[in-house]
Amino acid sequence: MSAALAYAANALGATSQGPQIWGWHGRTLSHHAHHPQHGMCWLRLVSVPEHKAGGKLWEGTDRAHTAFPTVRKPALHALHDHARDGHAYRTELTAYVDEPVLSPDPVLRHELDLTDAWFTTIRSTLSTIAATPTDRTAVRQEWISRAVPEYTGRPAPLIQYWECAHGDFHTANLTRGATLLDWEGWGQAPRGYDIAMLYAYAQLAPETAARIHSEFAPLLRSDAGRAALLVVCAELLQSAARGDHPELTPKLRALVDDCATRTVSTR
């Protein structure tokens, strides 16, 4: 992957700078870079077996570039695709966002002092995303029907309201300036899915979690919001069962119990 990233950087006319940054489970590799036309940029390489090239995750950033022109996100300058030794590589050259992310990984482990302006921007971002028509899918009812009982022990909700979602909405993908990163997985999801994910991942920082809940209380307290939270808990508990963020599991179980005390439609 290092060789593939260097090859793509050269093809795109960019010069890599600084240390390499590995993504989740080594599926992506990123680098600061300088481009003679665009200045400071970000190079991100995605690797998949060659026969799996294409599809939702492969084209997510590219399609988001045109689908959400007004949302705060890194501008996409160029793409480069190539294959080598049985693997396909897509490299994205995007604008460098000179804003720190809110946390180094999805699980928020420290309290945040987020401003009213930050929440105003995030609310606008989520509204714009939710109102965007798309044929992409982030979460499927078939998965919900199978995973919610398996990982939460609760009946699966039959989702009544579906909206477009970012699909990976957590503090490692959000900056202090309310820029939203990592657009590969966006698509249709239960209404409230994004804010439910942000809230669930923030449970180890209770003051920040309480602020998130307060800001989005009408949604999170609705039947649709509680159904979305149950779906997110199932997703994160599934991930925990594979070894990711086990320390979050007790908090997720508590959220599941809270959802169970309220009405969540299973019709």
Side-chain angles (χ1 to χ4, degrees), residues 80-246:
H80 182 270
D81 295 339
H82 73 283
R84 177 184 297 173
D85 299 328
H87 285 80
Y89 302 98
R90 164 158 284 196
T91 303
E92 302 158 354
L93 181 71
T94 60
Y96 175 66
V97 178
D98 191 16
E99 301 168 0
V101 292
L102 296 178
S103 67
D105 63 74
V107 179
L108 182 62
R109 306 172 195 279
H110 60 277
E111 300 291 354
L112 297 172
D113 184 17
L114 299 172
T115 66
D116 292 344
W118 188 91
F119 278 103
T120 297
T121 302
I122 290 302
R123 190 174 288 107
S124 176
T125 293
L126 290 174
S127 295
T128 298
I129 294 172
T132 301
T134 182
D135 59 354
R136 290 169 56 86
T137 301
V139 184
R140 297 183 183 277
Q141 180 66 57
E142 293 83 357
W143 179 89
I144 293 171
S145 298
R146 181 180 70 254
V148 168
E150 180 177 355
Y151 292 100
T152 72
R154 308 294 180 180
L158 179 61
I159 303 303
Q160 304 296 316
Y161 303 104
W162 297 84
E163 294 177 339
C164 188
H166 174 268
D168 205 14
F169 200 82
H170 52 67
T171 49
N173 283 336
L174 286 162
T175 73
R176 284 281 179 182
T179 299
L180 182 53
L181 312 176
D182 195 1
W183 285 82
E184 66 179 9
W186 64 278
Q188 290 285 327
R191 176 181 292 177
Y193 179 81
D194 279 339
I195 202 63
M197 178 171 288
L198 181 66
Y199 177 60
Y201 266 130
Q203 292 301 299
L204 298 185
E207 293 180 11
T208 302
R211 175 75 188 281
I212 294 168
H213 193 281
S214 176
E215 292 285 342
F216 294 92
L219 175 57
L220 289 172
R221 289 174 179 167
S222 69
D223 285 348
R226 288 192 292 269
L229 187 56
L230 189 62
V231 171
V232 166
C233 286
E235 182 176 347
L236 300 192
L237 286 167
Q238 180 186 50
S239 184
R242 297 168 177 168
D244 296 322
H245 50 69

Side-chain angles (χ1 to χ4, degrees), residues 43-63:
L43 278 169
R44 178 178 180 269
L45 176 135
V46 180
S47 171
V48 297
E50 191 170 358
H51 69 280
K52 292 185 177 181
K56 186 186 77 169
L57 298 180
W58 188 264
E59 64 182 17
T61 299
D62 186 22
R63 291 191 61 181

